[in-house]
Each structure stands twice: as C-alpha cells, then as structure tokens.
Amino acid sequence: MPAVTTTDTREAESLCAELSIEVLHASKRIRTGPCSPQQTHSAVRIQKMINLRGREHAWAVLYALSEMENPPIELKSSLIGAVSDLFSNYPAWERRLGDFLNALDLLDLDELQRLAWSGPGIDGASPKTRILITGYLQVLLMPVMEPQEQGVFL
C-alpha cells in the first residue's frame, strides 16, 4: 500500500496561527531572535500529527515549544516530532503541560538539535535526528517529570 501524501495543511496552518507561529515556505529562512516570531517550515509534519493523534495533541506539542521562556528556537520537524513522541509515550507529561514547559526551560534545545544533527548514523546513513532528540529529551526530562522516590527501604 503506498504512503499517503499530505497536501492539505490548512488545519495545521490554522493551529499555528492560533499559537502565533508563522508557517514559512521551505525556501524562506527562519529567523530566530528576541524580536522574531516563532516560525516553522513543518506544516506537513504538524498536519500528519493532527491526522494521527488529534488537534489537542498537536496543540499541546506546539504550545510547549512556542511558550518556553528560552530564546526562540527553530521549530524543526524533528523537534516537533520528538515532543509528540514523548507525549505519546508519557501521556501524563502532556496532561502536566505546565511542569513540562518548566522542565523544557532548563534545557538548551538548540544545542540538543545540533548534537542530534552531528550524531551517529547507521551504515553511513545520516543520523535519525528525531529519534536522537527524543532520546536526549527523555533522558534529560525523566528525572524531573518522573522523579523516583528516595529513601524507601525494603
């Protein structure tokens, strides 16, 4: 069965507009800086996320990435997909969106994205940045989002 191509991204673009995220054509350069609006080239990724997991899930992912107090970051497809994967694997994190946002503010997401881009590939292929970012975020956020009880004796 052939893969389904997503061409209608109106719902994704509407959701981005609702969250003040500017959707750019792939040929346009994303601007980041204190005065720049949040921008993305990832309308197709966002639309696929809406189709697969629902608008509420996509809203939570984009809200978490666009409302951080960190300096504006590039909302790349791999980062959006990584946060979506985390929310799918840890549904409580999506329900605790405020705590998740506070935890994200402790991280340098630009640096994580750079690490993922320079990460290892398999058999000479380029690195799977979404998988690497998901793993990095999981390892870094797990102690904050899922703290283990301490001082418990058997």
Side-chain angles (χ1 to χ4, degrees), residues 64-66 68 70-76 79 82-83 86 100-101 103-117 133 136-137 140-141:
L65 292 171
S66 65
M68 294 184 315
N70 275 330
I73 56 167
E74 286 189 45
L75 296 178
K76 293 185 177 179
L79 180 61
V83 173
L86 286 176
F100 186 81
L101 226 117
L104 276 184
D105 278 332
L106 301 174
L107 305 177
D108 184 346
L109 294 180
D110 276 336
E111 182 63 23
L112 282 179
Q113 289 184 97
R114 277 192 292 280
L115 282 170
W117 275 106
I133 293 171
Y136 294 155
L137 287 174
L140 293 169
L141 294 175

Side-chain angles (χ1 to χ4, degrees), residues 21-33 36-42 72-76 110 114:
I21 299 170
E22 187 179 350
V23 177
L24 299 177
H25 187 273
S27 65
K28 297 267 186 176
R29 187 166 183 251
I30 289 181
R31 299 179 315 268
T32 58
S36 298
Q38 289 287 317
Q39 297 175 326
T40 188
H41 294 131
S42 305
I73 56 167
E74 286 189 45
L75 296 178
K76 293 185 177 179
D110 276 336
R114 277 192 292 280

Side-chain angles (χ1 to χ4, degrees), residues 44-122:
V44 172
R45 162 64 55 213
I46 295 165
Q47 188 62 53
K48 286 180 179 180
M49 185 172 43
I50 290 169
N51 296 346
L52 183 63
R53 307 220 186 274
R55 193 175 202 284
E56 296 78 23
H57 173 87
W59 182 90
V61 169
L62 294 174
Y63 181 83
L65 292 171
S66 65
E67 293 299 319
M68 294 184 315
E69 291 186 18
N70 275 330
I73 56 167
E74 286 189 45
L75 296 178
K76 293 185 177 179
S77 178
S78 54
L79 180 61
I80 292 168
V83 173
S84 177
D85 292 345
L86 286 176
F87 283 173
S88 296
N89 291 330
Y90 301 98
W93 294 13
E94 184 176 341
R95 291 190 298 273
R96 295 174 43 213
L97 198 52
D99 293 336
F100 186 81
L101 226 117
N102 291 338
L104 276 184
D105 278 332
L106 301 174
L107 305 177
D108 184 346
L109 294 180
D110 276 336
E111 182 63 23
L112 282 179
Q113 289 184 97
R114 277 192 292 280
L115 282 170
W117 275 106
S118 64
I122 298 174

Side-chain angles (χ1 to χ4, degrees), residues 6-23:
T6 302
T7 57
D8 183 4
T9 60
R10 286 179 288 187
E11 194 173 3
E13 291 170 16
S14 170
L15 179 59
C16 286
E18 182 180 312
L19 292 167
S20 300
I21 299 170
E22 187 179 350
V23 177

